[in-house]
Amino acid sequence: MSGPDVDPVTLEILRNQLESVAAEMGHVLIRGAYSPNIKERQDCSTALFDADGRMIAQAEHIPVHLGAMPDAVAVALEKDPKPGDVFVVNDPFAGGTHLPDVTLVSPIAPDGEIVGFAVSRAHHADVGGSAPGSMPPGAREIFEEGLRLPAVRLVDGGEPNDGVRDLLLANVRTPDEREADLRAQRAANDRAEQRIGELLDEHGPTLLDAFDAVVDYSRERVETEIRDLPDGTYRARDVLEGDGVTDAAIPIQVAVTVDGAALDVDFAGTADQVDGNVNAPFSVAKSAVYFVVRAITDPEIPPNHGCYEPVSITAPEGSLLDPRPPAAVVGGNVETSQRVTDVTLAALAEAVPDVVPAGGQGTMNNLIIGDRAGGFTYYETIAGGFGGRPAKDGMDGVQVGMTNTLNTPVEALETAYPLRVERYALRPSSGGDGRHRGGLGIERTVTVETDATVSLLTERRRIAPRGLDGGEDGAVGENRIDGEPVPAKTSVDVAAGATVSVRTPGGGGHGDPAERDPDARERDRRDGKVDDRPPEADGDDRV
């Protein structure tokens, strides 16, 4: 189905061309970036928007970035954008997600009239704040987390705004790296304007008609998928393991109502905003729900604004999922987003039991190592177990939920930083048993070769990823420094020679373990996925 002025064949051609432009933006950004976090791990996202601020195409990058991008474009639209502008924003209360995610929004105006916007969002390894890496686990206010940028012009009508650039670079620990990464983002946005100009030359006004048509197409496809779900209200509850200030459990509660072609997601009953940094801006909560909608519907539906029009989301103002400033939020983007994904999927497991997997690792396992003088800042999210699926085992050692990054290759890590990787391996027996086994977590052990600050922002260290339909829970994760356990959320100054070990959670199993195929069990033993040692021998406390 297409819009009234675009035939189906032309629409399919233009849809693919637009998605290709978004993907090319990502390639330009990744190739041009300087920091390993963007160049190697690809912790960045790119997308195209129309002149009204609706997403029309995205690259398949980071879910937590992409679902929250429209809020950044909405803020830029309030600033009366003109051709040649480039807005920079990271303020979580005005278009951003958390401060390290720096977004550039550029009007696309190849012929002098704005027809859309190019958007790139990248996680910068340091944007100031009280700890290297700008993710202090004990932060109580956003002011501790780094430089806060409302939507301001980094480029004004084609002229660089050196004052904004200088202000930004004066407040970060690694200014040369930040400037290089920002240049890569600008190059990505510039490439989008170039390519859209070429498509306008080729297709004329039909291209702009396609913006509406592709959004309509995706909306109609998603509405059809929602109609296939059984009507009803489905509920679930889960918790975060403390906020970095206290270890008290923090509940997240959801009610998902399916009514015809509409899906309503209500987080009433979720905790009030907390003192620590796991508060999640509402844009992050929405992004997690949008990810779940994509996960339970046909993955071939083009990802754009239309996918989300049938979905309504509410959270109490002043709650964990819609905090008021100056709440600390850096952990909300990386950890609370994962729990929102978990709880929303858990609610929908009753509606679509043949689609929803058992619990994945449910954390990004954030590890940050840097020196306070600004010599280096290393940031990484570490993979773990994907939950067992209704018809397949879970995947081992992968990113789960709201992140989609790669790892930092050992060679790149040791070249760029005063760090040495001692161990990088799967954790046997960490996946939950079941008809379909949960995926394995991993262990990553690093020696720090200089005095540094180590920050850890992690979850699922006390409460295991859940099995589903009779499957067993996965193993909880564990953090150690010099062999000694440390809290899930902590920041520690260490001397040269210290070792940091992160053991990530495994995924939950799916289905009754007694129904697992004997050949699959033999394959598990042969592949080293299970061993005969008790869990304590590997440090895998089970909950």
Side-chain angles (χ1 to χ4, degrees), residues 376-414:
F376 78 101
T377 303
Y378 156 75
Y379 171 68
E380 183 142 31
T381 58
I382 304 176
F386 191 97
R389 294 165 282 183
K392 289 183 179 180
D393 287 352
M395 293 175 282
D396 303 325
V398 294
Q399 299 285 4
V400 172
M402 294 305 288
T403 186
N404 189 32
T405 56
L406 304 179
N407 70 174
T408 306
V410 172
E411 298 84 354
L413 186 154
E414 293 183 343

mmCIF file of all heavy atoms in Angstrom, residues 376-414:
data_model
loop_
_atom_site.group_PDB
_atom_site.id
_atom_site.type_symbol
_atom_site.label_atom_id
_atom_site.label_comp_id
_atom_site.label_asym_id
_atom_site.label_seq_id
_atom_site.Cartn_x
_atom_site.Cartn_y
_atom_site.Cartn_z
ATOM 1 N N PHE A 376 43.401 9.614 29.007
ATOM 2 C CA PHE A 376 42.609 8.656 28.241
ATOM 3 C C PHE A 376 41.301 8.381 28.970
ATOM 4 O O PHE A 376 41.196 8.548 30.185
ATOM 5 C CB PHE A 376 43.378 7.336 28.049
ATOM 6 C CG PHE A 376 43.375 6.434 29.264
ATOM 7 C CD1 PHE A 376 42.516 5.348 29.341
ATOM 8 C CD2 PHE A 376 44.226 6.678 30.352
ATOM 9 C CE1 PHE A 376 42.504 4.521 30.464
ATOM 10 C CE2 PHE A 376 44.218 5.856 31.460
ATOM 11 C CZ PHE A 376 43.354 4.771 31.527
ATOM 12 N N THR A 377 40.316 7.952 28.210
ATOM 13 C CA THR A 377 39.058 7.461 28.768
ATOM 14 C C THR A 377 38.582 6.308 27.903
ATOM 15 O O THR A 377 38.317 6.476 26.719
ATOM 16 C CB THR A 377 37.967 8.545 28.798
ATOM 17 O OG1 THR A 377 38.428 9.682 29.539
ATOM 18 C CG2 THR A 377 36.707 8.015 29.452
ATOM 19 N N TYR A 378 38.484 5.145 28.534
ATOM 20 C CA TYR A 378 37.998 3.935 27.869
ATOM 21 C C TYR A 378 36.590 3.661 28.352
ATOM 22 O O TYR A 378 36.315 3.674 29.553
ATOM 23 C CB TYR A 378 38.923 2.766 28.208
ATOM 24 C CG TYR A 378 38.314 1.388 28.107
ATOM 25 C CD1 TYR A 378 38.085 0.790 26.871
ATOM 26 C CD2 TYR A 378 37.993 0.665 29.263
ATOM 27 C CE1 TYR A 378 37.539 -0.486 26.787
ATOM 28 C CE2 TYR A 378 37.456 -0.617 29.189
ATOM 29 C CZ TYR A 378 37.225 -1.185 27.948
ATOM 30 O OH TYR A 378 36.694 -2.441 27.873
ATOM 31 N N TYR A 379 35.688 3.419 27.404
ATOM 32 C CA TYR A 379 34.311 3.079 27.749
ATOM 33 C C TYR A 379 33.881 1.876 26.927
ATOM 34 O O TYR A 379 34.169 1.785 25.735
ATOM 35 C CB TYR A 379 33.370 4.246 27.462
ATOM 36 C CG TYR A 379 31.906 3.869 27.594
ATOM 37 C CD1 TYR A 379 31.358 3.561 28.834
ATOM 38 C CD2 TYR A 379 31.075 3.801 26.475
ATOM 39 C CE1 TYR A 379 30.023 3.196 28.962
ATOM 40 C CE2 TYR A 379 29.742 3.440 26.590
ATOM 41 C CZ TYR A 379 29.221 3.135 27.839
ATOM 42 O OH TYR A 379 27.912 2.766 27.960
ATOM 43 N N GLU A 380 33.169 0.963 27.593
ATOM 44 C CA GLU A 380 32.672 -0.206 26.873
ATOM 45 C C GLU A 380 31.427 -0.749 27.557
ATOM 46 O O GLU A 380 31.293 -0.723 28.778
ATOM 47 C CB GLU A 380 33.747 -1.299 26.821
ATOM 48 C CG GLU A 380 33.317 -2.518 26.014
ATOM 49 C CD GLU A 380 34.433 -3.106 25.191
ATOM 50 O OE1 GLU A 380 35.605 -3.024 25.616
ATOM 51 O OE2 GLU A 380 34.137 -3.661 24.126
ATOM 52 N N THR A 381 30.491 -1.209 26.751
ATOM 53 C CA THR A 381 29.409 -2.051 27.248
ATOM 54 C C THR A 381 29.757 -3.479 26.857
ATOM 55 O O THR A 381 30.221 -3.726 25.742
ATOM 56 C CB THR A 381 28.052 -1.653 26.659
ATOM 57 O OG1 THR A 381 28.104 -1.742 25.237
ATOM 58 C CG2 THR A 381 27.695 -0.234 27.056
ATOM 59 N N ILE A 382 29.565 -4.412 27.785
ATOM 60 C CA ILE A 382 30.073 -5.773 27.595
ATOM 61 C C ILE A 382 28.904 -6.732 27.398
ATOM 62 O O ILE A 382 27.920 -6.708 28.127
ATOM 63 C CB ILE A 382 30.944 -6.188 28.797
ATOM 64 C CG1 ILE A 382 32.079 -5.162 28.983
ATOM 65 C CG2 ILE A 382 31.527 -7.581 28.583
ATOM 66 C CD1 ILE A 382 32.953 -5.416 30.187
ATOM 67 N N ALA A 383 29.042 -7.593 26.411
ATOM 68 C CA ALA A 383 27.967 -8.500 26.004
ATOM 69 C C ALA A 383 27.698 -9.565 27.052
ATOM 70 O O ALA A 383 28.478 -9.775 27.984
ATOM 71 C CB ALA A 383 28.330 -9.146 24.668
ATOM 72 N N GLY A 384 26.575 -10.261 26.873
ATOM 73 C CA GLY A 384 26.208 -11.343 27.781
ATOM 74 C C GLY A 384 25.257 -12.304 27.102
ATOM 75 O O GLY A 384 25.237 -12.425 25.879
ATOM 76 N N GLY A 385 24.426 -12.987 27.886
ATOM 77 C CA GLY A 385 23.560 -14.019 27.351
ATOM 78 C C GLY A 385 22.218 -13.498 26.875
ATOM 79 O O GLY A 385 21.589 -12.667 27.523
ATOM 80 N N PHE A 386 21.781 -14.008 25.725
ATOM 81 C CA PHE A 386 20.436 -13.753 25.206
ATOM 82 C C PHE A 386 19.543 -14.898 25.691
ATOM 83 O O PHE A 386 19.953 -16.055 25.709
ATOM 84 C CB PHE A 386 20.476 -13.726 23.677
ATOM 85 C CG PHE A 386 19.229 -13.214 23.012
ATOM 86 C CD1 PHE A 386 19.157 -11.901 22.599
ATOM 87 C CD2 PHE A 386 18.155 -14.043 22.774
ATOM 88 C CE1 PHE A 386 18.016 -11.414 21.975
ATOM 89 C CE2 PHE A 386 17.004 -13.584 22.153
ATOM 90 C CZ PHE A 386 16.926 -12.260 21.746
ATOM 91 N N GLY A 387 18.323 -14.593 26.065
ATOM 92 C CA GLY A 387 17.438 -15.610 26.614
ATOM 93 C C GLY A 387 17.069 -16.685 25.609
ATOM 94 O O GLY A 387 17.031 -16.442 24.389
ATOM 95 N N GLY A 388 16.805 -17.896 26.126
ATOM 96 C CA GLY A 388 16.305 -18.956 25.269
ATOM 97 C C GLY A 388 15.014 -18.530 24.586
ATOM 98 O O GLY A 388 14.176 -17.835 25.157
ATOM 99 N N ARG A 389 14.837 -18.970 23.332
ATOM 100 C CA ARG A 389 13.684 -18.564 22.541
ATOM 101 C C ARG A 389 12.670 -19.705 22.430
ATOM 102 O O ARG A 389 13.002 -20.860 22.702
ATOM 103 C CB ARG A 389 14.158 -18.097 21.166
ATOM 104 C CG ARG A 389 14.989 -16.823 21.241
ATOM 105 C CD ARG A 389 15.748 -16.548 19.965
ATOM 106 N NE ARG A 389 16.950 -17.381 19.850
ATOM 107 C CZ ARG A 389 17.817 -17.296 18.849
ATOM 108 N NH1 ARG A 389 17.624 -16.422 17.887
ATOM 109 N NH2 ARG A 389 18.887 -18.083 18.820
ATOM 110 N N PRO A 390 11.446 -19.420 22.039
ATOM 111 C CA PRO A 390 10.441 -20.482 21.958
ATOM 112 C C PRO A 390 10.847 -21.653 21.066
ATOM 113 O O PRO A 390 10.406 -22.785 21.319
ATOM 114 C CB PRO A 390 9.214 -19.755 21.399
ATOM 115 C CG PRO A 390 9.377 -18.340 21.850
ATOM 116 C CD PRO A 390 10.851 -18.086 21.798
ATOM 117 N N ALA A 391 11.683 -21.391 20.073
ATOM 118 C CA ALA A 391 12.059 -22.469 19.151
ATOM 119 C C ALA A 391 13.564 -22.626 18.988
ATOM 120 O O ALA A 391 14.012 -23.466 18.217
ATOM 121 C CB ALA A 391 11.412 -22.242 17.778
ATOM 122 N N LYS A 392 14.362 -21.840 19.716
ATOM 123 C CA LYS A 392 15.814 -21.877 19.563
ATOM 124 C C LYS A 392 16.486 -21.571 20.890
ATOM 125 O O LYS A 392 15.906 -20.897 21.754
ATOM 126 C CB LYS A 392 16.304 -20.842 18.533
ATOM 127 C CG LYS A 392 15.989 -21.134 17.095
ATOM 128 C CD LYS A 392 16.613 -20.057 16.205
ATOM 129 C CE LYS A 392 16.354 -20.326 14.738
ATOM 130 N NZ LYS A 392 16.969 -19.270 13.884
ATOM 131 N N ASP A 393 17.736 -22.023 21.017
ATOM 132 C CA ASP A 393 18.546 -21.591 22.156
ATOM 133 C C ASP A 393 18.811 -20.100 22.066
ATOM 134 O O ASP A 393 18.741 -19.490 20.988
ATOM 135 C CB ASP A 393 19.886 -22.338 22.164
ATOM 136 C CG ASP A 393 19.750 -23.796 22.580
ATOM 137 O OD1 ASP A 393 18.657 -24.196 23.010
ATOM 138 O OD2 ASP A 393 20.755 -24.531 22.468
ATOM 139 N N GLY A 394 19.175 -19.517 23.218
ATOM 140 C CA GLY A 394 19.623 -18.133 23.209
ATOM 141 C C GLY A 394 21.021 -18.026 22.617
ATOM 142 O O GLY A 394 21.737 -19.020 22.463
ATOM 143 N N MET A 395 21.414 -16.808 22.286
ATOM 144 C CA MET A 395 22.734 -16.568 21.713
ATOM 145 C C MET A 395 23.745 -16.269 22.819
ATOM 146 O O MET A 395 23.407 -15.676 23.839
ATOM 147 C CB MET A 395 22.678 -15.412 20.719
ATOM 148 C CG MET A 395 21.852 -15.729 19.473
ATOM 149 S SD MET A 395 21.670 -14.317 18.363
ATOM 150 C CE MET A 395 20.401 -13.383 19.228
ATOM 151 N N ASP A 396 24.987 -16.687 22.600
ATOM 152 C CA ASP A 396 26.053 -16.499 23.574
ATOM 153 C C ASP A 396 26.793 -15.182 23.325
ATOM 154 O O ASP A 396 27.121 -14.846 22.181
ATOM 155 C CB ASP A 396 27.083 -17.628 23.471
ATOM 156 C CG ASP A 396 26.473 -19.012 23.647
ATOM 157 O OD1 ASP A 396 25.535 -19.141 24.446
ATOM 158 O OD2 ASP A 396 26.944 -19.955 22.979
ATOM 159 N N GLY A 397 27.089 -14.465 24.404
ATOM 160 C CA GLY A 397 27.994 -13.328 24.324
ATOM 161 C C GLY A 397 27.585 -12.276 23.309
ATOM 162 O O GLY A 397 28.389 -11.890 22.463
ATOM 163 N N VAL A 398 26.345 -11.813 23.391
ATOM 164 C CA VAL A 398 25.864 -10.786 22.470
ATOM 165 C C VAL A 398 25.294 -9.609 23.274
ATOM 166 O O VAL A 398 24.933 -9.740 24.437
ATOM 167 C CB VAL A 398 24.774 -11.327 21.524
ATOM 168 C CG1 VAL A 398 25.342 -12.383 20.588
ATOM 169 C CG2 VAL A 398 23.580 -11.880 22.304
ATOM 170 N N GLN A 399 25.211 -8.463 22.622
ATOM 171 C CA GLN A 399 24.504 -7.340 23.225
ATOM 172 C C GLN A 399 23.013 -7.617 23.159
ATOM 173 O O GLN A 399 22.511 -8.179 22.178
ATOM 174 C CB GLN A 399 24.845 -6.043 22.495
ATOM 175 C CG GLN A 399 26.319 -5.669 22.547
ATOM 176 C CD GLN A 399 26.766 -5.129 23.892
ATOM 177 O OE1 GLN A 399 25.987 -5.089 24.845
ATOM 178 N NE2 GLN A 399 28.008 -4.717 23.990
ATOM 179 N N VAL A 400 22.299 -7.229 24.183
ATOM 180 C CA VAL A 400 20.888 -7.584 24.343
ATOM 181 C C VAL A 400 20.070 -6.321 24.563
ATOM 182 O O VAL A 400 20.509 -5.395 25.248
ATOM 183 C CB VAL A 400 20.718 -8.557 25.532
ATOM 184 C CG1 VAL A 400 19.256 -8.784 25.853
ATOM 185 C CG2 VAL A 400 21.403 -9.883 25.230
ATOM 186 N N GLY A 401 18.875 -6.289 24.004
ATOM 187 C CA GLY A 401 17.946 -5.210 24.314
ATOM 188 C C GLY A 401 18.302 -3.902 23.653
ATOM 189 O O GLY A 401 18.410 -3.808 22.435
ATOM 190 N N MET A 402 18.525 -2.869 24.458
ATOM 191 C CA MET A 402 18.586 -1.501 23.953
ATOM 192 C C MET A 402 19.925 -1.100 23.372
ATOM 193 O O MET A 402 20.097 0.038 22.953
ATOM 194 C CB MET A 402 18.199 -0.540 25.069
ATOM 195 C CG MET A 402 16.747 -0.682 25.507
ATOM 196 S SD MET A 402 15.590 -0.501 24.141
ATOM 197 C CE MET A 402 15.742 1.247 23.861
ATOM 198 N N THR A 403 20.897 -2.002 23.367
ATOM 199 C CA THR A 403 22.170 -1.659 22.744
ATOM 200 C C THR A 403 22.469 -2.655 21.641
ATOM 201 O O THR A 403 21.992 -3.779 21.644
ATOM 202 C CB THR A 403 23.321 -1.630 23.765
ATOM 203 O OG1 THR A 403 24.513 -1.161 23.118
ATOM 204 C CG2 THR A 403 23.581 -2.996 24.360
ATOM 205 N N ASN A 404 23.259 -2.199 20.685
ATOM 206 C CA ASN A 404 23.542 -3.013 19.509
ATOM 207 C C ASN A 404 24.988 -2.790 19.075
ATOM 208 O O ASN A 404 25.304 -2.810 17.887
ATOM 209 C CB ASN A 404 22.576 -2.626 18.382
ATOM 210 C CG ASN A 404 22.640 -3.559 17.205
ATOM 211 O OD1 ASN A 404 22.900 -4.747 17.356
ATOM 212 N ND2 ASN A 404 22.416 -3.036 16.009
ATOM 213 N N THR A 405 25.866 -2.552 20.041
ATOM 214 C CA THR A 405 27.242 -2.218 19.720
ATOM 215 C C THR A 405 28.089 -3.474 19.540
ATOM 216 O O THR A 405 27.704 -4.572 19.922
ATOM 217 C CB THR A 405 27.868 -1.371 20.843
ATOM 218 O OG1 THR A 405 27.753 -2.086 22.074
ATOM 219 C CG2 THR A 405 27.163 -0.032 20.980
ATOM 220 N N LEU A 406 29.260 -3.262 18.967
ATOM 221 C CA LEU A 406 30.273 -4.306 18.903
ATOM 222 C C LEU A 406 31.157 -4.225 20.145
ATOM 223 O O LEU A 406 30.991 -3.348 20.990
ATOM 224 C CB LEU A 406 31.113 -4.129 17.637
ATOM 225 C CG LEU A 406 30.353 -4.112 16.314
ATOM 226 C CD1 LEU A 406 31.317 -3.898 15.153
ATOM 227 C CD2 LEU A 406 29.545 -5.372 16.111
ATOM 228 N N ASN A 407 32.108 -5.152 20.246
ATOM 229 C CA ASN A 407 33.124 -5.023 21.303
ATOM 230 C C ASN A 407 34.300 -4.209 20.775
ATOM 231 O O ASN A 407 34.408 -3.938 19.573
ATOM 232 C CB ASN A 407 33.574 -6.389 21.817
ATOM 233 C CG ASN A 407 34.396 -7.203 20.836
ATOM 234 O OD1 ASN A 407 34.904 -8.253 21.177
ATOM 235 N ND2 ASN A 407 34.554 -6.750 19.602
ATOM 236 N N THR A 408 35.180 -3.791 21.683
ATOM 237 C CA THR A 408 36.449 -3.192 21.263
ATOM 238 C C THR A 408 37.435 -4.331 21.054
ATOM 239 O O THR A 408 37.748 -5.053 22.004
ATOM 240 C CB THR A 408 37.002 -2.232 22.329
ATOM 241 O OG1 THR A 408 36.003 -1.259 22.649
ATOM 242 C CG2 THR A 408 38.243 -1.523 21.818
ATOM 243 N N PRO A 409 37.915 -4.549 19.831
ATOM 244 C CA PRO A 409 38.883 -5.625 19.624
ATOM 245 C C PRO A 409 40.084 -5.470 20.543
ATOM 246 O O PRO A 409 40.510 -4.346 20.856
ATOM 247 C CB PRO A 409 39.286 -5.456 18.154
ATOM 248 C CG PRO A 409 38.145 -4.729 17.526
ATOM 249 C CD PRO A 409 37.614 -3.820 18.591
ATOM 250 N N VAL A 410 40.617 -6.603 20.990
ATOM 251 C CA VAL A 410 41.740 -6.568 21.925
ATOM 252 C C VAL A 410 42.886 -5.729 21.371
ATOM 253 O O VAL A 410 43.483 -4.907 22.084
ATOM 254 C CB VAL A 410 42.206 -8.000 22.253
ATOM 255 C CG1 VAL A 410 43.492 -7.969 23.068
ATOM 256 C CG2 VAL A 410 41.117 -8.751 23.006
ATOM 257 N N GLU A 411 43.198 -5.915 20.089
ATOM 258 C CA GLU A 411 44.324 -5.197 19.502
ATOM 259 C C GLU A 411 44.092 -3.685 19.527
ATOM 260 O O GLU A 411 44.999 -2.905 19.842
ATOM 261 C CB GLU A 411 44.552 -5.662 18.054
ATOM 262 C CG GLU A 411 44.904 -7.125 17.916
ATOM 263 C CD GLU A 411 43.681 -8.041 17.884
ATOM 264 O OE1 GLU A 411 42.544 -7.544 18.082
ATOM 265 O OE2 GLU A 411 43.864 -9.257 17.664
ATOM 266 N N ALA A 412 42.862 -3.265 19.214
ATOM 267 C CA ALA A 412 42.558 -1.842 19.216
ATOM 268 C C ALA A 412 42.579 -1.286 20.629
ATOM 269 O O ALA A 412 43.083 -0.183 20.874
ATOM 270 C CB ALA A 412 41.195 -1.598 18.567
ATOM 271 N N LEU A 413 42.041 -2.048 21.572
ATOM 272 C CA LEU A 413 42.008 -1.592 22.963
ATOM 273 C C LEU A 413 43.421 -1.392 23.503
ATOM 274 O O LEU A 413 43.734 -0.355 24.111
ATOM 275 C CB LEU A 413 41.228 -2.609 23.797
ATOM 276 C CG LEU A 413 40.935 -2.294 25.253
ATOM 277 C CD1 LEU A 413 39.683 -3.025 25.698
ATOM 278 C CD2 LEU A 413 42.073 -2.690 26.167
ATOM 279 N N GLU A 414 44.275 -2.382 23.288
ATOM 280 C CA GLU A 414 45.628 -2.302 23.852
ATOM 281 C C GLU A 414 46.487 -1.269 23.137
ATOM 282 O O GLU A 414 47.443 -0.750 23.713
ATOM 283 C CB GLU A 414 46.283 -3.682 23.797
ATOM 284 C CG GLU A 414 45.609 -4.689 24.709
ATOM 285 C CD GLU A 414 46.284 -6.052 24.733
ATOM 286 O OE1 GLU A 414 47.082 -6.340 23.804
ATOM 287 O OE2 GLU A 414 46.042 -6.815 25.684
#
